[in-house]
Structures are given as C-alpha cells and as structure tokens.
C-alpha cells in the first residue's frame, strides 16, 4: 500500500526528468546496487493553540486524515552529487513520514528509505507539509548511513501545501562557501536565496519568509488624526535613516508617502516570537503592558497632567500600589505580569505594584548624591555619552542668527573655582582631566518646537565633569540654553553644585532637566538607533545574500534572533506617533526625527566597535603596551574595563572561526555571497550613508573579522549594556526622569512663580518630574525591557549545532565559553575591590551589566547573543 502510494506520488508530483528515482532492489546501468536502508526521524514542536493541540481529539477529518493515512509529511532526500554519466541532478528519493509518537513536547515522525549505494552524500531534504495548518519543524536526523547520522537543523515554520505548494529546502548542518558547494546543491542554494528576497510586488503575508528593505514610513497615523502625521525616515537628505523590513502595506489616504497602521506588523515568519520557545512570554507581556495595562492606568489616573504631590507618593508605587479598573481578563494580566500586577486581598480588584528597583532598595537617597550622578555616566545605563573635552572654550556650531550667541557660559573662571585646589584649567586640559556630556547642539533646534506642546519644555544642555585624583568624576557644571523664542533673546545659565539653599535647589532642577535629556538620548540613540535600528539591515542582508549553508550565516544567526520582531513591536507601540516615547520623553513628537539627526551627524559603522568608540570619544588612546592595546584616560571605567575584555574574547572566537574557513585574502574576495552581503548592507541597508568614505573594505580575513566582531558586539554586549539595567536605574524615576515638564524656576520668572519655588521647592521639583501616568507607563515598560526570558540564549552558553560539525570550530567555541566564565569571575573580583570606587560602595549597585550569564527575570546582568527585547 505504501509503495503504491509513493509510486503514484512520484508520477503525479514529479514529472519524470532525466534519470530515475531508485526504488528498493532496483539496478542502475552501472550495475547491481546494494541498497542501504535508512530511517529519517522528524521532530516537530508541539505548539499551543495550533494544529497539534487538538491532534489527539481526531475531531477534524480534514486536518487529521493525513496522519491516519500515514501521509503527514512528504520527505525527499536530495543527493549532493550529480549523475556521473550525464552531469544532471540525481532524482530525489521520496517517502511519506508518519507520526509515531510524542516526546518532551515534540511530535515525532519517521520514514524509511532505501538508498542506492551510488546515490552519493545526502545534501538536502525537501519537505512538504500535508496538514492543513503550518507546523514548526525543529530538525530531521537520518540514521543508518555508513558514515553516521546526518542532522538537518531546520528551526522553521513550514506552511501547509494547501497554502504554499512549493516544497521547503533544508540543507544539512555542514557549512560550504559558495565555491565549495557540492554541484548538485548549487541551484538549490541560489533558489532558496531568491525565494527569501521576494520581488516586492505585493503586501507580505504573515506566513511569508520575505526579506526586503523599506523606509520608516509607518510611524505616523495621519488617517486617524492629522496631528499624528510624521515624516518618513530614510530615503531623503532631510531625514536619513537605516532601513527596516518591507511590509508592502497599503498607503495612507492622507499621506501617500506613508503606510497605514492596521493590524500587526509583518516580519518574516521565522523571525517571529512564537510559542515554540518560552520567549513567547515576551510577546504576551508586550501586548499586555501596552494594550491592557496602560489603558487601564489612563483610566485610573484620570488627570494625565497630575504629578506626585509628595515623594512618599512615589514610594507607594512599591509599597502599596495603584488600584486599576477591572479588566475583561484580569487573570491573564496578573499571570503574565506577576512582578507588577498583584491581586488585592479581597480578590476583587487588581493593583499595579512595582518591584523595588535595585538602586532604590540599596539606598533610596542615592539619587541625591552628586557622586552617584557622576558615577552613573561610567557605570550606569548610558555609558556611551561621556567624552573628553577636546576643545576650549566650549562653543556651539549652530547658526547664531537663529539660535543666539554660540559661546558657552561655562567660563575658565567658573571651572577653576570648582576645581580649586586640584589644578588650573590649562593643566586640566593638558592632562586630559575634563570630560563632558554634550546634548546642546542636538537638542537646541527642537527647543522651540517642543515648547509648543502642552506639559513639557526643552533646553540645549551639557554637563562638565572633572576627573579627581581618586579616579572618580566630580560634576562641575550643567549649562542649559533656550534659543530666542517669542520675541525673547537667547537665555542660558550655568548651574553648579553649591551648598547655599537656593543654588542647591536650582542645581537639583538642572540635574533633573539634564537627566531627562540623557534619558531621551539613551533610549533614542544609544539604545534604539545604535542597536535595534542599525542591526535590522544586517539581519535583512544576511538572509537575502548569505545562504543558510554559508559559515558566516551560521556564525551570525544567533546574534539576530527575534530582533526584527521586537523592532516591529517597537514601531507599533513604543516609537510610533503618540506612543510611549512621544508621550513620556522630553523630545515628545520630535523624538524619532531627532534620532534621524543623530544618525546623520554621529553614526559611523567604523566607530561602533568598542575600541573605536572609546578612541572616538577621547576616552582611550592606542597603546600597544597596555591591555587590549588601549590606555583608558579614566582607568576605573566599569563599562569600558569589562567591555574591552568581552570585546577581546568575542573577537578571538570570531577570528578563530573565520580563519578556519578563509585561509587568505583571495578566498574573501572571491566569495560572491559575502561580497554581495557587505555591499548590500552599505548600499541598501544603510543606503543614506552609502557614499561615506569610512566604510571598511572587505578584502582580507582580518577585514571580515573586524566587521563581524562589530556587528556581533552591537547585537550582544552594546545592547545588554544599555538595556538590562534600565529598571535598576530608572525604575525609581527621580534618578532618571524621562521628561522635565516645567521650565527652570529662574528662566524669566514671574514674581508669583519665584515665590512658589522659594516657599516649596520640593513641590515644584515634583511638578517638573513626569506625571503619574507618564511615570507609571515608563516604569512598566522598563520593567518589561529589563527582563530576561526563561530560555534566554546567552553568549557562549550553548553551542550551535552547525558549529559542532567541525572539530576545530567546536574546540574554538569551548575556549570561547571558558574565557567567558573567566570573565564572570574577574567581574566579581573587580566589584569586590574597594579601591575601584566607580564599581561599588555602600548602597551602590555593583557593575554587572556585562557579566555574560544570568538567570531569568530582571537581574541587571547577562549578555544574550541578540537584541531580543
């Protein structure tokens, strides 16, 4: 019966090409064949809510008849070798696989084949899904071959043949450069890449696996409200930007350049979070926080402008919580968000009760200390902004006719007064002791626009620091500038840490404004732009130009897991018009536009690796005698200290991997897929910067090692350093407010306003801080973003199956893993060293953001391979 079915299949599904399908006991023209019997085992993930959840019920004959007839999956074994006589492809061997059982949440299928001895090495398997629903195919293992089993790690959704009749191609775990591809697999290799590129002629379906580029034209929603229209980012000189994945969605009625925002955002099917992995909880949390919790908060907190009347009211968020209205499915909200959604004692209502952030738990008053303010520039959640003062006097490069006098109000006399007893200004500059975080020219052009939005304000800002003899930073000054506005001239003022009461409170206000700017820059540039946004083109190009057989694809693949899905979710609810960023951060409606300006002015691929970044910021200088070849000007710089070790470990692993496959420059230059990949990243993924002279060339193995190390660093360590400490440092928002809502008390004060400040400065500061709805929305979001999933895939923790195919690569990975474990201990030892004042102390969070491994949850440590949250 089975043989007849297969023979019928062979004549109907495969019109006879040259050559034959070898059946048991047959002979070829070359002589008698000694058949080899092999067994294929197929593992399919049992998924929630899909076909397999009801498999045993046998209630749907259209769905289950294929299993009953042992026709669940059609497998075709493809030879890696051509026919010796004709040079044509060998006919694949076809059999159905039938369901044999279930194990550890997986459904197991098996099929038996008889393979002629001269069939050659099996190089690929074609799969057709006979079910009515998609399935998640984990892997296929073929047992019984003379040289041992062959594994095909699939890790992919396979659509039903009724939705997509084309068979899916899966190659074995063995890696091949294009020139080394077995002859019979070359066409399939090229065909699969063509399929993944698509042709851009229609809207992509949820089931598609198409990778293509588009501009960010889906952030606004002008069809809903005119004021929700936003400029297209990318594709113009005014708004250059990296590219995102094309969706092909319908155009807006009111703005033909924009796409509509209806339904979920397309990402290629295999890039989606799914119930295949426990990481699916992230999707549910995102949807719950943003679609259920936040609207409930808006209902509970009727006044969107209402601030916290007392600091004790902020504390109640952790101790008592906020009652939230009844929901349609309160159990889901509580089950998915157990950290922050609690049941009240009467079990009738829910409350939003936040976990105590690590910083608040250790020292609830640490946010007031200037030493902690400075320390967090080196060991906090945004260690990427501080840089050496390289020119003096400080001066704006903006047009003075528009923005007012360019000279900074931070004078030599002021600096020397603040560093009195240490050295003169000239000595400080010569000895490289002055450092700055400067958002002045980036923010000032938006100050007038932002101030037209109710409930917010904005300044150009910069903060100056002095490196003291004990290795810590001392804040010297914060300068805030308002451009000419409403007929008023430019306003600027410098604030310093003083002990006199009024000046002390003004310094607190200045810190609040500057920290709000730093929080916005951190989210929009250090975090979103430089990791999430810049990486998406790498993901697209890798899938379009590098075959899954390519060793560089296999090296990069772990670094790209779930990035496109989390970016799509960000476009839906975080960075979109009227999303969380726009409603809760200082730059408001101009937030994404500002990130485009930052991309234009500051982003360079050749400066995204850690050593180049530190040199570019003047924090380090090249020194062949120093560890890592760099001498840090701030020796106790926890992010840089740990980061440079991690960079070296990562680069060494990548160097050993690349060197195994590329022995010389000719192999790199002749690799067509690799060259097309790098060309497409530059000319398509980052098209608006394609003509920049600083792009690295790709001619040698060393070039390739540098490029891949930079990409891997950004996806893993850079993202971890700016992401997983967010709740620890900003969960108590006075330490890092997302927005400053009121002007400085001394900016054009009225008599009444100044009196209110003098009478109750604490209350005025609370009014300046985020409103209750802004604060709680951001806190809930940061709690989510700071979380590791239960099955997080940490760098070096587990070996990819393909890496284990080659003994040399396997040994290199084991060395990589061992070095990461050594780094864990080194970081622990550093945090225990009392002489390193920027790493710890009484009530201080030790710096662990670059410790490679972690448990699940909000831990403030752990470096996943990829940007997965």
């Amino acid at each position: 019966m089975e043989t007849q079915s297969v023979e019928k299949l062979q004549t109907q599904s495969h019109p006879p090409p040259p050559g034959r399908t070898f059946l048991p006991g047959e002979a070829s023209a070359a002589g008698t064949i000694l058949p080899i019997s092999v067994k294929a085992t197929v593992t399919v993930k049992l998924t929630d809510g899909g076909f397999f959840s009801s498999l045993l019920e046998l209630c749907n004959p259209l769905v289950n008849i294929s299993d009953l007839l042992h026709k669940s999956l059609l497998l075709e074994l493809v030879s890696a070798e051509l026919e010796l006589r004709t040079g044509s492809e060998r006919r694949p061997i076809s059999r159905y696989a039938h369901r044999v059982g279930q194990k550890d949440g997986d459904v197991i299928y098996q099929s038996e084949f008889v393979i002629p001895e001269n069939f050659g090495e099996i190089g690929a398997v074609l799969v057709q899904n006979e079910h009515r629903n998609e399935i998640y195919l984990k892997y296929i293992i073929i047992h019984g071959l003379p040289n041992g089993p062959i594994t095909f790690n699939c890790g992919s959704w396979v659509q039903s043949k009724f939705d997509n009749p084309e068979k899916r191609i899966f190659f074995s775990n063995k890696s091949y450069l294009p020139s080394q591809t077995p002859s019979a697999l070359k066409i399939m290799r090229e065909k699969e890449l063509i399929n993944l590129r698509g042709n851009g002629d229609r809207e992509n379906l949820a089931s598609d696996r198409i990778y293509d580029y588009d501009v960010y034209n889906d952030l606004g929603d002008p069809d809903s409200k005119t004021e929700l229209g936003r400029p297209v980012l990318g594709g113009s000189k005014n708004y250059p930007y990296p590219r995102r994945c094309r969706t092909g969605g319908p155009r807006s009625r009111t703005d033909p350049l924009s796409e509509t925002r209806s339904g979920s955002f397309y990402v290629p099917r295999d890039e989606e979070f799914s119930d295949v992995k426990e990481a699916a909880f992230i999707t549910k949390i995102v949807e719950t926080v943003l679609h259920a919790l936040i609207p409930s908060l808006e209902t509970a907190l009727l006044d969107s402008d209402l601030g916290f009347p007392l600091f004790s009211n902020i504390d109640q968020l952790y101790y008592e919580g906020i009652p939230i209205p009844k929901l349609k499915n309160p159990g889901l909200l509580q089950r998915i968000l157990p950290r922050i959604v609690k049941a009240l004692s009467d079990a009738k209502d829910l409350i939003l009760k936040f976990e105590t952030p690590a910083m608040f738990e250790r020292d609830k008053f640490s946010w007031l200390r200037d030493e902690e303010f400075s320390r967090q520039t080196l060991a906090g959640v945004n260690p990427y902004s501080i840089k050496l003062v390289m020119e003096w006097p400080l001066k704006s490069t903006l047009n003075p006719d528009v923005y007012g006098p360019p000279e900074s109000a931070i004078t030599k006399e002021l600096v020397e007064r603040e560093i009195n007893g240490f050295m003169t200004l000239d000595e400080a500059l010569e000895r490289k002791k002055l450092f700055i975080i400067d958002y002045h020219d980036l923010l000032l052009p938006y100050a007038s626009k932002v101030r037209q939005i109710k409930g917010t304000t904005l300044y150009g800002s910069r903060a100056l620091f002095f490196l003291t003899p004990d290795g810590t930073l001392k804040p010297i000054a914060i300068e805030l500038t308002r451009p000419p506005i409403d007929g008023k001239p430019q306003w600027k003022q410098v604030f310093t840490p003083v002990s006199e009461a009024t000046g002390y409170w003004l310094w607190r206000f200045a810190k609040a404004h500057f920290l709000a700017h730093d929080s916005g820059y951190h989210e929009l540039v250090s975090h979103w732009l430089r990791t999430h946004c810049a990486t998406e083109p790498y993901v697209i190009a890798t899938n379009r130009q590098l075959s899954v057989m390519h060793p560089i694809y296999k090296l990069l693949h772990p670094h790209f897991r779930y990035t496109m899905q989390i970016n799509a979710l960000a476009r839906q609810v975080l960075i979109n018009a009227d999303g969380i960023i726009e409603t809760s951060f200082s730059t408001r409606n101009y937030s994404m536009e500002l990130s485009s300006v930052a991309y234009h002015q500051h982003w360079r691929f050749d400066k995204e690796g850690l050593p180049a970044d530190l040199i570019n910021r003047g924090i380090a200088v090249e020194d062949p005698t120093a560890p890592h070849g760099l001498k840090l000007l701030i020796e106790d710089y926890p992010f840089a200290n740990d980061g440079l070790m991690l960079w070296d470990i990562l680069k060494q692993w990548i160097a050993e991997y690349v060197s195994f496959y590329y022995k010389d420059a000719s192999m790199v230059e002749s690799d067509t897929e690799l060259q097309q990949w790098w060309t497409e990243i530059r000319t398509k993924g980052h098209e608006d910067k394609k003509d920049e002279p600083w792009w690295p060339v790709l001619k040698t193995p060393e070039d390739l090692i540098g490029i891949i190390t930079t990409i891997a660093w950004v996806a893993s360590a850079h993202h971890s350093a700016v992401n997983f400490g967010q709740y620890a440092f900003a969960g108590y928002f006075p330490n890092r407010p997302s927005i400053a809502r009121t002007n400085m008390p001394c900016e054009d004060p009225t008599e009444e306003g100044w009196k209110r400040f003098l009478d109750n400065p604490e209350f005025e500061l609370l009014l300046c801080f985020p409103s209750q709805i802004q604060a709680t929305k951001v806190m809930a979001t940061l709690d989510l973003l700071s979380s590791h999933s239960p099955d997080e895939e940490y760098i070096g923790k587990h070996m990819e199956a393909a890496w284990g195919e080659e003994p040399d690569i396997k040994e290199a990975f084991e060395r990589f893993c061992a070095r990461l474990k050594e780094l864990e201990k080194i970081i622990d030892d550093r945090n225990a060293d009392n002489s390193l004042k920027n790493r710890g102390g009484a009530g201080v969070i030790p710096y662990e953001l670059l410790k490679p491994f972690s448990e699940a949850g909000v831990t403030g440590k752990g470096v996943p391979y990829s940007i997965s949250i």
Side-chain angles (χ1 to χ4, degrees):
M1 181 74 175
E2 179 72 12
T3 302
Q4 292 174 352
S5 299
V6 172
E7 290 172 346
K8 184 177 180 181
L9 168 80
Q10 291 165 347
T11 59
Q12 292 183 351
S13 298
H14 306 286
R20 287 201 52 198
T21 298
F22 290 101
L23 296 176
E26 282 194 315
S28 72
T32 303
I33 294 174
L34 299 177
I36 302 173
S37 296
V38 300
K39 180 182 291 185
T41 301
V42 183
T43 301
V44 174
K45 185 67 179 178
L46 188 64
T47 60
D48 296 335
F51 159 66
F52 287 113
S53 62
S54 58
L55 184 63
L56 298 179
E57 298 177 12
L58 298 176
C59 59
N60 186 343
L62 288 177
V63 170
N64 295 294
I65 193 68
S66 56
D67 271 334
L68 293 176
L69 295 178
H70 289 183
K71 291 186 177 182
S72 304
L73 298 172
L74 174 65
L75 305 182
E76 296 184 359
L77 305 186
V78 178
S79 174
E81 301 173 12
L82 297 174
E83 286 276 6
L84 293 177
R85 286 187 307 163
T86 65
S88 61
E89 295 178 13
R90 296 180 186 272
R91 183 72 179 271
I93 306 173
S94 304
R95 288 290 185 273
Y96 283 112
H98 59 278
R99 185 174 185 271
V100 296
Q102 185 174 321
K103 181 180 180 182
D104 299 330
D106 295 330
V107 178
I108 311 299
Y109 290 81
Q110 286 186 350
S111 181
E112 295 184 356
F113 296 83
V114 176
I115 302 177
E117 189 176 24
N118 65 351
F119 184 76
E121 181 182 356
I122 299 171
V125 178
L126 299 179
V127 178
Q128 188 167 64
N129 174 13
E130 302 286 325
H131 298 113
R132 293 274 174 177
N133 297 73
E134 66 178 359
I135 61 170
Y136 187 81
L137 185 56
K138 293 179 69 177
Y139 44 81
I140 301 169
I141 303 177
I142 300 177
H143 301 272
L145 294 165
N147 296 326
I150 299 179
T151 301
F152 299 77
N153 272 77
C154 306
S156 181
W157 290 97
V158 179
Q159 301 304 311
S160 166
K161 74 173 185 180
F162 301 101
D163 296 322
N164 185 353
E166 187 168 358
K167 298 180 182 67
R168 284 291 306 280
I169 305 169
F170 294 102
F171 299 103
S172 71
N173 288 353
K174 186 174 177 60
S175 297
Y176 295 99
L177 296 177
S179 62
Q180 299 167 345
T181 308
S183 300
L185 301 181
K186 286 183 177 180
I187 293 177
M188 283 189 174
R189 178 174 183 147
E190 295 169 0
K191 179 183 178 182
E192 179 69 353
L193 285 174
I194 292 171
N195 288 341
L196 291 170
R197 292 171 194 149
N199 54 23
D201 63 348
R202 61 172 174 82
E203 181 175 0
N204 293 334
L205 305 176
S207 59
D208 283 339
R209 298 166 54 247
I210 295 174
Y211 296 80
D212 202 355
Y213 301 96
D214 206 345
V215 293
Y216 279 76
N217 60 356
D218 58 353
L219 300 177
D221 190 9
D223 289 349
S224 174
K225 293 181 181 179
T226 303
E227 56 267 30
L228 294 182
R230 295 293 180 269
V232 174
L233 303 185
S236 70
K237 292 182 178 180
N238 290 335
Y239 303 110
Y241 218 56
R243 299 301 191 260
R244 63 167 175 89
C245 183
R246 178 187 178 275
T247 65
R251 295 288 171 166
S252 161
R253 298 188 309 274
T254 54
D255 178 11
L257 295 178
S258 297
E259 285 187 1
T260 59
R261 296 176 54 82
S262 58
S264 59
F265 284 26
Y266 165 81
V267 295
R269 185 64 179 100
D270 288 338
E271 302 293 335
E272 290 188 47
F273 291 137
S274 69
D275 50 9
V276 170
K277 295 179 67 65
E278 289 182 58
F281 96 108
I282 295 175
T283 301
K284 296 175 183 176
I285 288 178
V286 170
E287 292 175 349
T288 304
V289 167
L290 304 172
H291 296 154
L293 179 60
I294 286 176
S296 298
L297 283 172
E298 292 170 342
T299 302
L301 303 171
L302 296 178
D303 185 353
S304 61
D305 296 325
L306 183 65
F308 291 88
L310 300 168
F311 277 94
S312 58
N313 296 121
I314 302 174
D315 299 350
Q316 289 175 5
L317 294 174
Y318 317 109
Y319 302 141
E320 298 178 15
I322 300 174
I324 56 178
K326 293 180 180 179
L327 304 171
K328 292 181 180 179
N329 193 350
L332 175 66
L333 192 65
Q334 188 182 357
R335 185 171 70 253
I336 292 178
L337 299 170
R339 276 178 52 85
I340 58 177
V341 178
K342 321 287 184 182
L344 290 174
S345 57
D346 61 8
K348 293 181 180 179
D349 296 309
L350 294 176
I351 60 171
L352 182 71
K353 182 179 177 183
F354 291 91
E355 293 288 321
T356 306
M359 181 181 170
F360 183 83
E361 189 171 43
R362 286 173 175 265
D363 181 358
K364 66 182 293 184
F365 300 111
S366 62
W367 70 279
L368 293 169
R369 294 189 295 109
D370 289 339
E371 295 82 0
E372 181 63 14
F373 167 61
S374 298
R375 190 190 75 86
Q376 288 182 29
T377 67
L378 305 174
V381 76
N382 185 28
Y384 271 100
S385 285
I386 192 163
K387 59 184 180 181
L388 179 70
V389 174
M390 302 181 193
E391 294 182 354
W392 192 270
L394 302 175
K395 189 175 182 179
S396 170
T397 60
L398 298 174
N399 185 349
D401 294 335
V402 178
Y403 300 105
E407 294 79 14
S408 170
I410 302 177
T411 63
K412 175 180 179 180
E413 293 73 22
L414 184 148
V415 172
E416 291 187 338
R417 184 182 73 224
E418 293 300 316
I419 63 174
N420 182 37
F422 288 110
M423 60 188 71
T424 66
L425 172 63
D426 291 338
E427 290 173 330
L429 292 169
E430 182 181 355
R431 294 167 62 180
K432 299 182 178 179
K433 300 295 183 182
L434 285 182
F435 296 86
I436 193 170
I437 298 177
D438 196 342
Y439 303 132
H440 183 279
D441 285 7
L442 182 65
L443 295 179
L444 195 62
Y446 289 93
S448 298
K449 300 176 185 178
V450 168
R451 284 173 175 238
Q452 296 175 22
I453 302 171
K454 179 186 174 184
T456 189
T457 189
L458 190 65
Y459 296 95
S461 64
R462 52 170 67 102
L464 193 65
F465 302 87
F466 174 71
L467 182 62
T468 66
D470 67 358
T472 62
L473 290 176
K474 169 185 168 61
I476 293 176
I478 293 174
E479 180 179 25
L480 301 177
T481 304
R482 182 204 68 197
I485 187 172
D486 297 332
K488 300 176 184 178
Q490 182 196 71
W491 176 92
K492 69 175 60 166
Q493 190 164 333
V494 178
F495 303 90
T496 58
V498 297
S499 56
E500 174 264 323
T502 301
Y504 174 70
W505 274 102
L506 289 175
W507 171 247
R508 280 189 179 179
F509 272 83
K511 281 203 300 183
H513 279 274
F514 175 79
L515 285 167
H517 304 162
D518 189 64
S519 294
Y521 184 89
H522 160 255
E523 291 295 358
L524 290 166
V525 181
S526 300
H527 187 186
W528 164 256
L529 174 65
R530 294 182 64 181
T531 66
H532 289 259
C533 185
T535 296
E536 184 151 340
Y538 311 150
V539 184
I540 299 171
T542 299
N543 282 277
R544 285 169 55 85
Q545 299 298 341
L546 297 182
S547 166
V548 294
M549 306 172 77
H550 201 292
I552 300 304
Y553 176 95
K554 296 179 187 295
L555 176 61
L556 286 172
H557 183 254
H559 291 287
F560 296 154
R561 288 189 180 109
Y562 305 135
T563 299
M564 294 180 73
Q565 173 71 356
I566 200 66
N567 286 1
L569 288 169
R571 300 203 319 271
Q572 283 184 272
V573 290
L574 289 174
I575 62 174
N576 59 302
D578 209 32
I580 290 178
I581 294 292
E582 283 200 359
T583 57
S584 304
F585 283 78
S586 290
T587 45
R588 296 298 297 268
N589 302 2
Y590 302 95
S591 294
M592 292 303 291
E593 183 179 323
L594 181 135
S595 74
S596 170
V597 174
Y599 177 69
H600 170 65
Q601 294 180 355
H602 303 303
W603 190 89
R604 291 178 49 159
F605 182 89
D606 64 328
K607 305 299 183 186
E608 290 302 291
L610 181 60
D613 170 76
L614 293 171
I615 293 170
N616 185 51
R617 289 189 281 129
I619 298 291
V621 293
E622 292 187 79
D623 182 351
T625 66
H628 322 292
L630 293 180
K631 179 182 179 182
L632 290 172
L633 301 184
I634 304 174
E635 293 182 4
D636 182 13
Y637 185 177
F639 161 70
N641 297 135
D642 298 352
L644 285 170
M645 288 200 68
L646 184 51
W647 170 272
D648 281 357
I649 292 169
L650 183 63
K651 185 174 183 179
Q652 187 169 354
W653 149 243
I654 291 170
E656 292 182 38
Y657 185 100
V658 168
S659 298
F660 178 80
Y661 291 100
Y662 296 92
K663 306 303 182 185
D664 54 43
S666 65
M667 296 185 70
V668 172
E669 293 188 274
S670 64
D671 187 331
T672 54
E673 287 184 5
L674 188 70
Q675 293 297 330
Q676 290 166 357
W677 167 78
W678 183 234
T679 297
E680 188 166 287
I681 285 175
R682 293 180 287 111
T683 63
K684 297 295 184 183
H686 287 273
E687 183 175 348
D688 298 332
K689 287 181 174 278
K690 64 181 180 181
D691 297 322
E692 297 288 354
W694 41 253
W695 283 103
V697 297
L698 179 52
K699 294 183 177 180
T700 68
E702 290 72 26
D703 296 336
L704 181 57
I705 291 164
I707 289 168
I708 294 178
T709 305
T710 296
I711 292 173
W713 166 265
V714 168
S716 56
H718 180 151
H719 179 258
S720 295
V722 299
N723 182 73
F724 292 106
Q726 292 189 89
Y727 191 73
F729 287 103
Y732 182 67
F733 67 83
N735 183 60
R736 287 187 66 79
S738 64
I739 191 171
R741 297 188 296 154
T742 61
N743 292 341
M744 287 293 294
C746 54
E747 183 198 333
D748 301 332
T750 63
E751 184 175 341
E752 180 184 356
W754 185 250
K755 185 176 185 303
R756 285 199 309 268
F757 164 67
L758 294 178
D759 289 347
N760 195 343
E762 179 178 306
F763 181 74
E764 294 299 310
L765 182 61
L766 285 164
L767 289 179
C768 183
F769 280 153
S771 67
Q772 292 188 35
I773 183 61
Q774 287 171 330
T776 50
K777 280 199 300 186
V778 171
M779 289 166 65
T781 304
L782 296 185
D783 184 84
L784 157 68
L785 297 180
S786 301
S787 297
H788 289 295
S789 67
D791 60 347
E792 191 82 86
E793 297 180 8
Y794 298 100
I795 188 169
K797 185 76 170 180
H798 300 293
M799 184 185 304
E800 293 288 297
W803 301 344
E805 292 287 310
E806 296 288 353
D808 288 357
I809 299 297
K810 182 179 179 181
E811 291 175 9
F813 178 83
E814 289 169 350
R815 289 191 292 271
F816 175 49
C817 183
R819 294 185 194 108
L820 291 170
K821 291 177 180 177
E822 292 174 5
L823 177 59
E824 290 248 317
K825 184 178 184 307
I826 290 171
I827 291 175
D828 287 338
D829 291 343
R830 286 173 172 175
N831 287 334
D833 186 344
N834 293 330
S835 69
L836 300 176
K837 293 181 170 53
N838 293 323
R839 298 197 72 102
V844 172
I845 302 175
Y847 191 75
E848 297 184 314
L849 288 171
L850 293 180
K851 287 187 72 171
F853 311 119
S854 174
E855 59 274 12
V858 178
T859 65
K861 59 184 177 182
V863 180
Y865 276 109
S866 65
I867 304 165
S868 58
I869 185 61

